[in-house]
Amino acid sequence: SQTIHQWPATLVQPVGSPLSLECTVEGTSNPNLYWYRQAAGRGLQLLFYSVGIGQISSEVPQNLSASRPQDRQFILSSKKLLLSDSGFYLCAWRKPGPRGRTDTQYFGPGTRLTVL
Amino acid sequence: TQLLEQSPQFLSIQEGENLTVYCNSSSVFSSLQWYRQEPGEGPVLLVTVVTGGEVKKLKRLTFQFGDARKDSSLHITAAQPGDTGLYLCAGGQTGANNLFFGTGTRLTVIP
């Protein structure tokens, strides 16, 4: 079975500090990977997605960047955090395939980031 | 542009009552997902529907995909406090690698 991990679970960082959040998937190969941000009690905002190693698509221009150094590893980074970067960050994966049931994404447990 | 609109946005009901949550769009989707999310956790998949008119049941939860694949509903029978959470619908589209998420419905079931 497939599992997805995120760490850290919680992070408190000062404004201007760097950021690195990691996401790894087990039990599948060549997944599509996604980073989302969720404001308190709200819907999901897609930040980045990747269809393969080194392939990153950015959905929203901002202070963040993403990288995929290995097939099942997805990293979200920032050089200098802003107050507005606070939120709940979710990583998700999906098995690539024809449209329909393979659209489904599976989420990790999330990282709560607070920028002070 | 918000492709998927969910209603109601908030819902507070007594234990044992029935409820329906709607997910509407003017766009056609190749699939429709429903997730439930509890505070501080990631969304958990409840169901995926792909065929227009498809109905799926998961214990007390009934999911329906509209005939034209533009909308969906989630019906909960005899709600329980454990059903409390944020319900999210999400649609997949041909040519898109990502899902389009609805605005969410926050359900509170009062014991």
Side-chain angles (χ1 to χ4, degrees):
Chain A
S1 63
Q2 299 85 11
T3 55
I4 178 169
H5 305 278
Q6 287 185 243
W7 61 86
T10 306
L11 191 59
V12 180
Q13 292 284 96
V15 169
S17 64
L19 172 73
S20 181
L21 303 182
E22 188 167 343
C23 171
T24 58
V25 181
E26 296 176 355
T28 188
S29 59
N30 196 31
N32 286 5
L33 296 172
Y34 303 84
W35 277 113
Y36 292 88
R37 179 167 58 203
Q38 185 177 33
R42 304 288 298 277
L44 304 179
Q45 178 189 32
L46 178 65
L47 302 175
F48 302 94
Y49 70 89
S50 171
V51 299
I53 296 174
Q55 300 178 61
I56 307 295
S57 296
S58 174
E59 291 295 305
V60 182
Q62 53 200 314
N63 187 41
L64 302 170
S65 62
S67 62
R68 185 169 176 176
Q70 300 180 42
D71 181 46
R72 289 168 288 176
Q73 184 184 32
F74 205 22
I75 297 173
L76 183 69
S77 303
S78 174
K79 292 182 179 179
K80 288 186 178 182
L81 283 169
L82 305 172
L83 287 173
S84 58
D85 291 323
S86 292
F88 192 50
Y89 288 82
L90 288 158
C91 181
W93 74 273
R94 105 171 158 86
K95 184 176 181 179
R99 308 314 306 183
R101 297 206 182 277
T102 58
D103 292 342
T104 303
Q105 293 180 19
Y106 301 90
F107 287 85
T111 295
R112 171 73 58 193
L113 172 65
T114 303
V115 183
L116 301 176
Chain B
T1 302
Q2 183 64 48
L3 289 182
L4 283 167
E5 296 285 346
Q6 285 186 240
S7 61
Q9 188 176 358
F10 298 96
L11 187 57
S12 182
I13 62 171
Q14 295 289 331
E15 181 176 0
E17 293 183 351
N18 302 331
L19 67 113
T20 301
V21 176
Y22 299 93
C23 177
N24 296 311
S25 177
S26 57
S27 302
V28 176
F29 293 97
S30 55
S31 69
L32 205 295
Q33 279 70 220
W34 283 95
Y35 295 85
R36 178 170 64 216
Q37 184 181 22
E38 300 193 21
E41 300 181 7
V44 175
L45 178 71
L46 297 174
V47 76
T48 296
V49 286
V50 299
T51 304
E54 183 175 359
V55 176
K56 279 196 171 181
K57 291 189 176 184
L58 185 66
K59 296 184 181 179
R60 295 175 293 99
L61 279 61
T62 301
F63 305 86
Q64 184 164 11
F65 201 12
D67 291 341
R69 291 184 288 131
K70 293 182 178 181
D71 51 76
S72 180
S73 63
L74 158 60
H75 182 79
I76 301 179
T77 303
Q80 299 178 0
D83 296 326
T84 293
L86 178 67
Y87 288 81
L88 295 164
C89 66
Q93 287 188 321
T94 302
N97 277 308
N98 52 295
L99 290 176
F100 298 93
F101 279 85
T103 47
T105 295
R106 180 160 298 282
L107 171 65
T108 301
V109 181
I110 303 167

PDB file of all heavy atoms in Angstrom, chain A residues 77-91:
ATOM      1  N   SER A  77      10.345  25.128  -0.478  1.00  0.00           N
ATOM      2  CA  SER A  77      11.387  25.959   0.125  1.00  0.00           C
ATOM      3  C   SER A  77      11.063  27.438   0.010  1.00  0.00           C
ATOM      4  O   SER A  77      10.249  27.859  -0.814  1.00  0.00           O
ATOM      5  CB  SER A  77      12.728  25.714  -0.578  1.00  0.00           C
ATOM      6  OG  SER A  77      13.098  24.365  -0.545  1.00  0.00           O
ATOM      7  N   SER A  78      11.753  28.189   0.853  1.00  0.00           N
ATOM      8  CA  SER A  78      11.744  29.642   0.751  1.00  0.00           C
ATOM      9  C   SER A  78      13.086  30.149   1.262  1.00  0.00           C
ATOM     10  O   SER A  78      13.652  29.603   2.204  1.00  0.00           O
ATOM     11  CB  SER A  78      10.621  30.252   1.580  1.00  0.00           C
ATOM     12  OG  SER A  78      10.716  31.670   1.570  1.00  0.00           O
ATOM     13  N   LYS A  79      13.571  31.216   0.645  1.00  0.00           N
ATOM     14  CA  LYS A  79      14.832  31.806   1.108  1.00  0.00           C
ATOM     15  C   LYS A  79      14.587  32.747   2.264  1.00  0.00           C
ATOM     16  O   LYS A  79      15.399  32.854   3.186  1.00  0.00           O
ATOM     17  CB  LYS A  79      15.513  32.539  -0.046  1.00  0.00           C
ATOM     18  CG  LYS A  79      16.025  31.622  -1.137  1.00  0.00           C
ATOM     19  CD  LYS A  79      16.743  32.404  -2.226  1.00  0.00           C
ATOM     20  CE  LYS A  79      17.264  31.464  -3.300  1.00  0.00           C
ATOM     21  NZ  LYS A  79      17.949  32.206  -4.406  1.00  0.00           N
ATOM     22  N   LYS A  80      13.446  33.457   2.225  1.00  0.00           N
ATOM     23  CA  LYS A  80      13.116  34.421   3.283  1.00  0.00           C
ATOM     24  C   LYS A  80      11.613  34.399   3.506  1.00  0.00           C
ATOM     25  O   LYS A  80      10.837  34.868   2.665  1.00  0.00           O
ATOM     26  CB  LYS A  80      13.548  35.838   2.899  1.00  0.00           C
ATOM     27  CG  LYS A  80      15.043  36.079   2.925  1.00  0.00           C
ATOM     28  CD  LYS A  80      15.363  37.555   2.673  1.00  0.00           C
ATOM     29  CE  LYS A  80      16.861  37.810   2.749  1.00  0.00           C
ATOM     30  NZ  LYS A  80      17.192  39.255   2.544  1.00  0.00           N
ATOM     31  N   LEU A  81      11.191  33.896   4.642  1.00  0.00           N
ATOM     32  CA  LEU A  81       9.771  33.782   4.946  1.00  0.00           C
ATOM     33  C   LEU A  81       9.132  35.138   5.226  1.00  0.00           C
ATOM     34  O   LEU A  81       9.753  36.040   5.815  1.00  0.00           O
ATOM     35  CB  LEU A  81       9.562  32.875   6.157  1.00  0.00           C
ATOM     36  CG  LEU A  81       9.693  31.386   5.889  1.00  0.00           C
ATOM     37  CD1 LEU A  81       9.747  30.625   7.205  1.00  0.00           C
ATOM     38  CD2 LEU A  81       8.554  30.888   5.023  1.00  0.00           C
ATOM     39  N   LEU A  82       7.870  35.234   4.821  1.00  0.00           N
ATOM     40  CA  LEU A  82       7.047  36.394   5.103  1.00  0.00           C
ATOM     41  C   LEU A  82       5.951  35.999   6.079  1.00  0.00           C
ATOM     42  O   LEU A  82       5.613  34.807   6.194  1.00  0.00           O
ATOM     43  CB  LEU A  82       6.402  36.921   3.817  1.00  0.00           C
ATOM     44  CG  LEU A  82       7.336  37.255   2.650  1.00  0.00           C
ATOM     45  CD1 LEU A  82       6.508  37.576   1.403  1.00  0.00           C
ATOM     46  CD2 LEU A  82       8.251  38.405   3.013  1.00  0.00           C
ATOM     47  N   LEU A  83       5.370  36.976   6.761  1.00  0.00           N
ATOM     48  CA  LEU A  83       4.253  36.684   7.659  1.00  0.00           C
ATOM     49  C   LEU A  83       3.129  35.967   6.915  1.00  0.00           C
ATOM     50  O   LEU A  83       2.488  35.061   7.448  1.00  0.00           O
ATOM     51  CB  LEU A  83       3.719  37.963   8.291  1.00  0.00           C
ATOM     52  CG  LEU A  83       4.588  38.621   9.366  1.00  0.00           C
ATOM     53  CD1 LEU A  83       3.992  39.964   9.771  1.00  0.00           C
ATOM     54  CD2 LEU A  83       4.720  37.713  10.578  1.00  0.00           C
ATOM     55  N   SER A  84       2.903  36.369   5.678  1.00  0.00           N
ATOM     56  CA  SER A  84       1.810  35.813   4.877  1.00  0.00           C
ATOM     57  C   SER A  84       2.053  34.372   4.453  1.00  0.00           C
ATOM     58  O   SER A  84       1.162  33.738   3.880  1.00  0.00           O
ATOM     59  CB  SER A  84       1.578  36.670   3.634  1.00  0.00           C
ATOM     60  OG  SER A  84       2.770  36.746   2.863  1.00  0.00           O
ATOM     61  N   ASP A  85       3.238  33.833   4.724  1.00  0.00           N
ATOM     62  CA  ASP A  85       3.509  32.435   4.392  1.00  0.00           C
ATOM     63  C   ASP A  85       2.956  31.481   5.449  1.00  0.00           C
ATOM     64  O   ASP A  85       2.958  30.261   5.243  1.00  0.00           O
ATOM     65  CB  ASP A  85       5.018  32.203   4.248  1.00  0.00           C
ATOM     66  CG  ASP A  85       5.605  32.895   3.025  1.00  0.00           C
ATOM     67  OD1 ASP A  85       4.907  32.934   1.985  1.00  0.00           O
ATOM     68  OD2 ASP A  85       6.737  33.399   3.110  1.00  0.00           O
ATOM     69  N   SER A  86       2.475  32.003   6.561  1.00  0.00           N
ATOM     70  CA  SER A  86       1.879  31.145   7.589  1.00  0.00           C
ATOM     71  C   SER A  86       0.685  30.397   7.016  1.00  0.00           C
ATOM     72  O   SER A  86      -0.070  30.930   6.204  1.00  0.00           O
ATOM     73  CB  SER A  86       1.417  31.992   8.777  1.00  0.00           C
ATOM     74  OG  SER A  86       2.517  32.551   9.458  1.00  0.00           O
ATOM     75  N   GLY A  87       0.531  29.155   7.444  1.00  0.00           N
ATOM     76  CA  GLY A  87      -0.601  28.364   6.972  1.00  0.00           C
ATOM     77  C   GLY A  87      -0.352  26.886   7.172  1.00  0.00           C
ATOM     78  O   GLY A  87       0.632  26.475   7.782  1.00  0.00           O
ATOM     79  N   PHE A  88      -1.273  26.104   6.649  1.00  0.00           N
ATOM     80  CA  PHE A  88      -1.195  24.651   6.732  1.00  0.00           C
ATOM     81  C   PHE A  88      -0.808  24.147   5.349  1.00  0.00           C
ATOM     82  O   PHE A  88      -1.528  24.377   4.371  1.00  0.00           O
ATOM     83  CB  PHE A  88      -2.563  24.109   7.168  1.00  0.00           C
ATOM     84  CG  PHE A  88      -2.562  22.671   7.574  1.00  0.00           C
ATOM     85  CD1 PHE A  88      -1.646  22.177   8.477  1.00  0.00           C
ATOM     86  CD2 PHE A  88      -3.512  21.803   7.064  1.00  0.00           C
ATOM     87  CE1 PHE A  88      -1.652  20.844   8.867  1.00  0.00           C
ATOM     88  CE2 PHE A  88      -3.535  20.462   7.449  1.00  0.00           C
ATOM     89  CZ  PHE A  88      -2.603  19.985   8.340  1.00  0.00           C
ATOM     90  N   TYR A  89       0.335  23.480   5.254  1.00  0.00           N
ATOM     91  CA  TYR A  89       0.875  23.039   3.966  1.00  0.00           C
ATOM     92  C   TYR A  89       0.640  21.546   3.802  1.00  0.00           C
ATOM     93  O   TYR A  89       1.011  20.740   4.655  1.00  0.00           O
ATOM     94  CB  TYR A  89       2.363  23.371   3.863  1.00  0.00           C
ATOM     95  CG  TYR A  89       2.600  24.856   3.686  1.00  0.00           C
ATOM     96  CD1 TYR A  89       2.606  25.716   4.782  1.00  0.00           C
ATOM     97  CD2 TYR A  89       2.757  25.408   2.417  1.00  0.00           C
ATOM     98  CE1 TYR A  89       2.785  27.075   4.621  1.00  0.00           C
ATOM     99  CE2 TYR A  89       2.941  26.772   2.245  1.00  0.00           C
ATOM    100  CZ  TYR A  89       2.955  27.596   3.358  1.00  0.00           C
ATOM    101  OH  TYR A  89       3.121  28.954   3.188  1.00  0.00           O
ATOM    102  N   LEU A  90       0.045  21.214   2.685  1.00  0.00           N
ATOM    103  CA  LEU A  90      -0.312  19.827   2.414  1.00  0.00           C
ATOM    104  C   LEU A  90       0.388  19.342   1.155  1.00  0.00           C
ATOM    105  O   LEU A  90       0.439  20.047   0.149  1.00  0.00           O
ATOM    106  CB  LEU A  90      -1.818  19.694   2.227  1.00  0.00           C
ATOM    107  CG  LEU A  90      -2.652  19.849   3.490  1.00  0.00           C
ATOM    108  CD1 LEU A  90      -4.075  20.231   3.150  1.00  0.00           C
ATOM    109  CD2 LEU A  90      -2.630  18.570   4.307  1.00  0.00           C
ATOM    110  N   CYS A  91       0.901  18.133   1.235  1.00  0.00           N
ATOM    111  CA  CYS A  91       1.479  17.467   0.083  1.00  0.00           C
ATOM    112  C   CYS A  91       0.514  16.368  -0.349  1.00  0.00           C
ATOM    113  O   CYS A  91      -0.175  15.770   0.496  1.00  0.00           O
ATOM    114  CB  CYS A  91       2.832  16.868   0.454  1.00  0.00           C
ATOM    115  SG  CYS A  91       3.697  16.025  -0.878  1.00  0.00           S
TER     116      CYS A  91
END
